[in-house]
Each structure stands twice: as C-alpha cells, then as structure tokens.
Amino acid sequence: MIYFELFLSFLKIGFFGFGGGYAMLSLIQSEVVVAHEWISSSEFADIVAISQMTPGPISINCATYIGYTATGGSVLGSVLATLGVCTPSLVLMLIGSFFYARLNGNPYLKQVMRSMRPVIIGLIASAALIMMNGENFIDYRSVIVFVVSLAAVWFKVNPLLVVALSGVVGYFLF
C-alpha cells in the first residue's frame, strides 16, 4: 500500500511542482513530512543536503532517497518515487513542445512565460523559509558565510572557488 501512495504522492508533486527542484521542495516537504509523516523534518533537511551534493536534479534525488527511506530501504520504493516525480514532466514536456513549436512568437505566450518568473522566485523563497525551522536554525556564522559568498559571486569570483572556500570555512566554524 505504501508503494502506491508513494507513487501517487510523487506523481502529484511532479504535476504541481512548477519552477524546478528548489521550488518543489516546499511541496515535497508538505507531502512527505506533514501529510504522510514518512520522514521527520530533520531527515528531510538531511535528504535535501545530500540531494544537493549528488549529481542530478534535486527533486529527483530527493524522490529517490525519500522512496528508499519511506519503504524501509526498498529499491522499488526509490524507483516508484522517481518515476512518479519524472512522469508528469516528461508527458507535459512532450505536449508543451508540440504546442510551443506552433505558437513560437505568440505575444500572449511570451507574456505568460514572463509573468511566471515572480511566482517561481516566490516558490524558491518558500522552500528556503521552510528549511529555516527550530531543527535547522541558522546562526549568525551561517549568515556571515552566506553574505560573504553572495558578495564573492556578485563580484565574479569563480563559483567553484566560493563553494570550496565556504566548505573549508564551514568546517572550521562548525
């Protein structure tokens, strides 16, 4: 039964999660932590951290790891959660590509795409705020590392260098 619920939950996440992986995190958290209680908030934070470090889209990595964890270490759970989150995107992409090719240059379509940008930014900000809870409190040291890293990227410092130096500083601070 959990396998079917897991597939349907991630199918729903795949259909209604607009804006990419980070924008989908709030929906994933709501579904797997709040609605079904398959994992705890701290486990979710760990899964997000691991999903960011592994290659591939964060939503697919989260689905794979959550499917594995929620089913007690079953590879089938991982496969079903991953298929659930990927299937809607594939179907919508095929349908959208067909119509986009026909409507390319349409001013209404351009306006719709342009108006979706603020919504996607809001979804990403929502995911960031969800991660800031009592279990994952961000202290002043984290804020300082963030601000310095953001400034470094703003001034065109190599992002790989920024990530590496942030990791080293984080290691010594925490």
Side-chain angles (χ1 to χ4, degrees):
M1 185 64 172
I2 190 170
Y3 293 104
F4 184 68
E5 289 178 17
L6 188 69
F7 178 77
L8 286 182
S9 292
F10 277 98
L11 191 67
K12 179 170 72 171
I13 290 166
F15 268 119
F16 297 108
F18 295 102
Y22 290 103
M24 293 170 74
L25 286 179
S26 58
L27 184 57
I28 293 171
Q29 189 266 348
S30 173
E31 191 70 23
V32 302
V33 175
V34 178
H36 293 287
E37 298 179 351
W38 288 324
I39 59 173
S40 68
S41 290
S42 63
E43 285 177 311
F44 182 72
D46 292 341
I47 288 171
V48 169
I50 291 169
S51 297
Q52 288 174 330
M53 293 185 304
T54 53
I58 191 169
S59 57
I60 295 172
N61 293 342
C62 280
T64 304
Y65 192 72
I66 290 168
Y68 186 81
T69 304
T71 57
S74 168
V75 174
L76 180 60
S78 292
V79 170
L80 289 174
T82 303
L83 284 175
V85 82
C86 291
T87 301
S89 298
L90 176 64
V91 170
L92 291 174
M93 177 85 91
L94 291 173
I95 293 169
S97 295
F98 174 77
F99 286 109
Y100 186 77
R102 291 179 177 231
L103 298 174
N104 193 15
N106 184 315
Y108 297 114
L109 180 63
K110 286 182 180 179
Q111 183 58 38
V112 167
M113 298 303 242
R114 204 174 300 121
S115 64
M116 287 176 62
R117 290 179 188 158
V119 174
I120 292 169
I121 291 170
L123 288 170
I124 292 171
S126 169
L129 291 174
I130 283 175
M131 296 304 293
M132 292 182 216
N133 58 32
E135 295 175 10
N136 304 318
F137 180 73
I138 297 176
D139 63 354
Y140 73 93
R141 296 176 296 182
S142 299
V143 173
I144 291 170
V145 171
F146 169 74
V147 169
V148 170
S149 298
L150 186 63
V153 171
W154 182 268
F155 289 110
K156 307 286 188 225
V157 175
N158 186 327
L160 294 175
L161 181 62
V162 173
V163 170
L165 290 176
S166 297
V168 169
V169 169
Y171 176 78
F172 287 112
L173 286 178
F174 301 102

PDB file of all heavy atoms in Angstrom, residues 36-54:
ATOM      1  N   HIS A  36       1.972  12.724   5.124  1.00  0.00           N
ATOM      2  CA  HIS A  36       2.117  11.276   5.308  1.00  0.00           C
ATOM      3  C   HIS A  36       3.020  10.875   6.472  1.00  0.00           C
ATOM      4  O   HIS A  36       3.003   9.717   6.885  1.00  0.00           O
ATOM      5  CB  HIS A  36       2.633  10.625   4.017  1.00  0.00           C
ATOM      6  CG  HIS A  36       1.655  10.680   2.890  1.00  0.00           C
ATOM      7  ND1 HIS A  36       0.523   9.904   2.850  1.00  0.00           N
ATOM      8  CD2 HIS A  36       1.628  11.442   1.774  1.00  0.00           C
ATOM      9  CE1 HIS A  36      -0.155  10.165   1.750  1.00  0.00           C
ATOM     10  NE2 HIS A  36       0.495  11.109   1.081  1.00  0.00           N
ATOM     11  N   GLU A  37       3.838  11.815   6.932  1.00  0.00           N
ATOM     12  CA  GLU A  37       4.762  11.565   8.047  1.00  0.00           C
ATOM     13  C   GLU A  37       5.670  10.356   7.775  1.00  0.00           C
ATOM     14  O   GLU A  37       5.949   9.563   8.661  1.00  0.00           O
ATOM     15  CB  GLU A  37       4.009  11.393   9.367  1.00  0.00           C
ATOM     16  CG  GLU A  37       3.239  12.621   9.779  1.00  0.00           C
ATOM     17  CD  GLU A  37       2.475  12.432  11.070  1.00  0.00           C
ATOM     18  OE1 GLU A  37       2.380  11.295  11.584  1.00  0.00           O
ATOM     19  OE2 GLU A  37       1.954  13.443  11.570  1.00  0.00           O
ATOM     20  N   TRP A  38       6.143  10.254   6.531  1.00  0.00           N
ATOM     21  CA  TRP A  38       7.066   9.172   6.193  1.00  0.00           C
ATOM     22  C   TRP A  38       8.454   9.425   6.764  1.00  0.00           C
ATOM     23  O   TRP A  38       9.183   8.485   7.062  1.00  0.00           O
ATOM     24  CB  TRP A  38       7.162   9.000   4.678  1.00  0.00           C
ATOM     25  CG  TRP A  38       5.941   8.387   4.059  1.00  0.00           C
ATOM     26  CD1 TRP A  38       5.140   7.424   4.589  1.00  0.00           C
ATOM     27  CD2 TRP A  38       5.383   8.688   2.787  1.00  0.00           C
ATOM     28  NE1 TRP A  38       4.120   7.105   3.738  1.00  0.00           N
ATOM     29  CE2 TRP A  38       4.248   7.870   2.616  1.00  0.00           C
ATOM     30  CE3 TRP A  38       5.732   9.573   1.776  1.00  0.00           C
ATOM     31  CZ2 TRP A  38       3.464   7.912   1.466  1.00  0.00           C
ATOM     32  CZ3 TRP A  38       4.950   9.599   0.641  1.00  0.00           C
ATOM     33  CH2 TRP A  38       3.825   8.771   0.492  1.00  0.00           C
ATOM     34  N   ILE A  39       8.831  10.706   6.858  1.00  0.00           N
ATOM     35  CA  ILE A  39      10.126  11.078   7.429  1.00  0.00           C
ATOM     36  C   ILE A  39       9.931  12.299   8.324  1.00  0.00           C
ATOM     37  O   ILE A  39       8.912  12.981   8.234  1.00  0.00           O
ATOM     38  CB  ILE A  39      11.174  11.380   6.328  1.00  0.00           C
ATOM     39  CG1 ILE A  39      10.701  12.509   5.418  1.00  0.00           C
ATOM     40  CG2 ILE A  39      11.516  10.144   5.521  1.00  0.00           C
ATOM     41  CD1 ILE A  39      11.748  12.974   4.419  1.00  0.00           C
ATOM     42  N   SER A  40      10.930  12.575   9.173  1.00  0.00           N
ATOM     43  CA  SER A  40      10.866  13.738  10.059  1.00  0.00           C
ATOM     44  C   SER A  40      11.443  14.970   9.360  1.00  0.00           C
ATOM     45  O   SER A  40      12.062  14.867   8.302  1.00  0.00           O
ATOM     46  CB  SER A  40      11.644  13.457  11.336  1.00  0.00           C
ATOM     47  OG  SER A  40      13.020  13.358  11.049  1.00  0.00           O
ATOM     48  N   SER A  41      11.280  16.126   9.992  1.00  0.00           N
ATOM     49  CA  SER A  41      11.829  17.368   9.431  1.00  0.00           C
ATOM     50  C   SER A  41      13.345  17.317   9.352  1.00  0.00           C
ATOM     51  O   SER A  41      13.940  17.799   8.384  1.00  0.00           O
ATOM     52  CB  SER A  41      11.413  18.568  10.276  1.00  0.00           C
ATOM     53  OG  SER A  41      10.052  18.823  10.138  1.00  0.00           O
ATOM     54  N   SER A  42      13.979  16.754  10.370  1.00  0.00           N
ATOM     55  CA  SER A  42      15.437  16.682  10.338  1.00  0.00           C
ATOM     56  C   SER A  42      15.912  15.706   9.265  1.00  0.00           C
ATOM     57  O   SER A  42      16.927  15.952   8.606  1.00  0.00           O
ATOM     58  CB  SER A  42      16.000  16.302  11.707  1.00  0.00           C
ATOM     59  OG  SER A  42      15.559  15.024  12.090  1.00  0.00           O
ATOM     60  N   GLU A  43      15.196  14.598   9.075  1.00  0.00           N
ATOM     61  CA  GLU A  43      15.550  13.674   7.989  1.00  0.00           C
ATOM     62  C   GLU A  43      15.381  14.366   6.637  1.00  0.00           C
ATOM     63  O   GLU A  43      16.195  14.171   5.733  1.00  0.00           O
ATOM     64  CB  GLU A  43      14.677  12.418   8.030  1.00  0.00           C
ATOM     65  CG  GLU A  43      15.028  11.447   9.117  1.00  0.00           C
ATOM     66  CD  GLU A  43      14.066  10.261   9.145  1.00  0.00           C
ATOM     67  OE1 GLU A  43      12.835  10.476   9.129  1.00  0.00           O
ATOM     68  OE2 GLU A  43      14.552   9.119   9.161  1.00  0.00           O
ATOM     69  N   PHE A  44      14.325  15.177   6.515  1.00  0.00           N
ATOM     70  CA  PHE A  44      14.105  15.900   5.268  1.00  0.00           C
ATOM     71  C   PHE A  44      15.249  16.867   4.996  1.00  0.00           C
ATOM     72  O   PHE A  44      15.728  16.969   3.865  1.00  0.00           O
ATOM     73  CB  PHE A  44      12.770  16.649   5.297  1.00  0.00           C
ATOM     74  CG  PHE A  44      12.461  17.377   4.026  1.00  0.00           C
ATOM     75  CD1 PHE A  44      12.110  16.684   2.878  1.00  0.00           C
ATOM     76  CD2 PHE A  44      12.537  18.758   3.962  1.00  0.00           C
ATOM     77  CE1 PHE A  44      11.840  17.352   1.693  1.00  0.00           C
ATOM     78  CE2 PHE A  44      12.262  19.438   2.794  1.00  0.00           C
ATOM     79  CZ  PHE A  44      11.907  18.731   1.658  1.00  0.00           C
ATOM     80  N   ALA A  45      15.700  17.572   6.025  1.00  0.00           N
ATOM     81  CA  ALA A  45      16.825  18.502   5.868  1.00  0.00           C
ATOM     82  C   ALA A  45      18.077  17.747   5.425  1.00  0.00           C
ATOM     83  O   ALA A  45      18.830  18.220   4.561  1.00  0.00           O
ATOM     84  CB  ALA A  45      17.084  19.253   7.160  1.00  0.00           C
ATOM     85  N   ASP A  46      18.302  16.566   6.002  1.00  0.00           N
ATOM     86  CA  ASP A  46      19.454  15.749   5.603  1.00  0.00           C
ATOM     87  C   ASP A  46      19.324  15.295   4.146  1.00  0.00           C
ATOM     88  O   ASP A  46      20.304  15.298   3.396  1.00  0.00           O
ATOM     89  CB  ASP A  46      19.597  14.528   6.512  1.00  0.00           C
ATOM     90  CG  ASP A  46      19.997  14.895   7.931  1.00  0.00           C
ATOM     91  OD1 ASP A  46      20.508  16.015   8.134  1.00  0.00           O
ATOM     92  OD2 ASP A  46      19.780  14.047   8.830  1.00  0.00           O
ATOM     93  N   ILE A  47      18.122  14.904   3.769  1.00  0.00           N
ATOM     94  CA  ILE A  47      17.885  14.450   2.393  1.00  0.00           C
ATOM     95  C   ILE A  47      18.130  15.583   1.406  1.00  0.00           C
ATOM     96  O   ILE A  47      18.731  15.382   0.350  1.00  0.00           O
ATOM     97  CB  ILE A  47      16.460  13.865   2.246  1.00  0.00           C
ATOM     98  CG1 ILE A  47      16.392  12.510   2.947  1.00  0.00           C
ATOM     99  CG2 ILE A  47      16.045  13.757   0.787  1.00  0.00           C
ATOM    100  CD1 ILE A  47      15.001  11.933   3.060  1.00  0.00           C
ATOM    101  N   VAL A  48      17.680  16.789   1.749  1.00  0.00           N
ATOM    102  CA  VAL A  48      17.907  17.942   0.871  1.00  0.00           C
ATOM    103  C   VAL A  48      19.400  18.207   0.728  1.00  0.00           C
ATOM    104  O   VAL A  48      19.904  18.442  -0.372  1.00  0.00           O
ATOM    105  CB  VAL A  48      17.161  19.187   1.389  1.00  0.00           C
ATOM    106  CG1 VAL A  48      17.594  20.442   0.638  1.00  0.00           C
ATOM    107  CG2 VAL A  48      15.661  18.994   1.277  1.00  0.00           C
ATOM    108  N   ALA A  49      20.133  18.138   1.853  1.00  0.00           N
ATOM    109  CA  ALA A  49      21.582  18.370   1.801  1.00  0.00           C
ATOM    110  C   ALA A  49      22.278  17.326   0.927  1.00  0.00           C
ATOM    111  O   ALA A  49      23.126  17.665   0.093  1.00  0.00           O
ATOM    112  CB  ALA A  49      22.161  18.353   3.209  1.00  0.00           C
ATOM    113  N   ILE A  50      21.912  16.079   1.089  1.00  0.00           N
ATOM    114  CA  ILE A  50      22.521  15.009   0.289  1.00  0.00           C
ATOM    115  C   ILE A  50      22.125  15.159  -1.178  1.00  0.00           C
ATOM    116  O   ILE A  50      22.945  14.977  -2.077  1.00  0.00           O
ATOM    117  CB  ILE A  50      22.112  13.626   0.835  1.00  0.00           C
ATOM    118  CG1 ILE A  50      22.775  13.395   2.190  1.00  0.00           C
ATOM    119  CG2 ILE A  50      22.482  12.518  -0.140  1.00  0.00           C
ATOM    120  CD1 ILE A  50      22.246  12.187   2.935  1.00  0.00           C
ATOM    121  N   SER A  51      20.871  15.529  -1.423  1.00  0.00           N
ATOM    122  CA  SER A  51      20.389  15.679  -2.797  1.00  0.00           C
ATOM    123  C   SER A  51      21.073  16.823  -3.520  1.00  0.00           C
ATOM    124  O   SER A  51      21.218  16.793  -4.744  1.00  0.00           O
ATOM    125  CB  SER A  51      18.876  15.899  -2.804  1.00  0.00           C
ATOM    126  OG  SER A  51      18.221  14.768  -2.271  1.00  0.00           O
ATOM    127  N   GLN A  52      21.489  17.846  -2.781  1.00  0.00           N
ATOM    128  CA  GLN A  52      22.205  18.954  -3.401  1.00  0.00           C
ATOM    129  C   GLN A  52      23.619  18.541  -3.805  1.00  0.00           C
ATOM    130  O   GLN A  52      24.162  19.045  -4.781  1.00  0.00           O
ATOM    131  CB  GLN A  52      22.297  20.141  -2.441  1.00  0.00           C
ATOM    132  CG  GLN A  52      20.993  20.844  -2.242  1.00  0.00           C
ATOM    133  CD  GLN A  52      21.081  21.928  -1.183  1.00  0.00           C
ATOM    134  OE1 GLN A  52      21.856  21.831  -0.244  1.00  0.00           O
ATOM    135  NE2 GLN A  52      20.270  22.953  -1.334  1.00  0.00           N
ATOM    136  N   MET A  53      24.204  17.645  -3.033  1.00  0.00           N
ATOM    137  CA  MET A  53      25.592  17.248  -3.299  1.00  0.00           C
ATOM    138  C   MET A  53      25.709  16.196  -4.387  1.00  0.00           C
ATOM    139  O   MET A  53      26.774  16.067  -4.995  1.00  0.00           O
ATOM    140  CB  MET A  53      26.229  16.712  -2.016  1.00  0.00           C
ATOM    141  CG  MET A  53      26.412  17.781  -0.957  1.00  0.00           C
ATOM    142  SD  MET A  53      27.292  17.216   0.493  1.00  0.00           S
ATOM    143  CE  MET A  53      26.333  15.827   1.048  1.00  0.00           C
ATOM    144  N   THR A  54      24.664  15.430  -4.618  1.00  0.00           N
ATOM    145  CA  THR A  54      24.737  14.373  -5.623  1.00  0.00           C
ATOM    146  C   THR A  54      24.372  14.928  -6.996  1.00  0.00           C
ATOM    147  O   THR A  54      23.589  15.866  -7.099  1.00  0.00           O
ATOM    148  CB  THR A  54      23.802  13.203  -5.260  1.00  0.00           C
ATOM    149  OG1 THR A  54      22.485  13.708  -5.040  1.00  0.00           O
ATOM    150  CG2 THR A  54      24.276  12.493  -4.013  1.00  0.00           C
TER     151      THR A  54
END
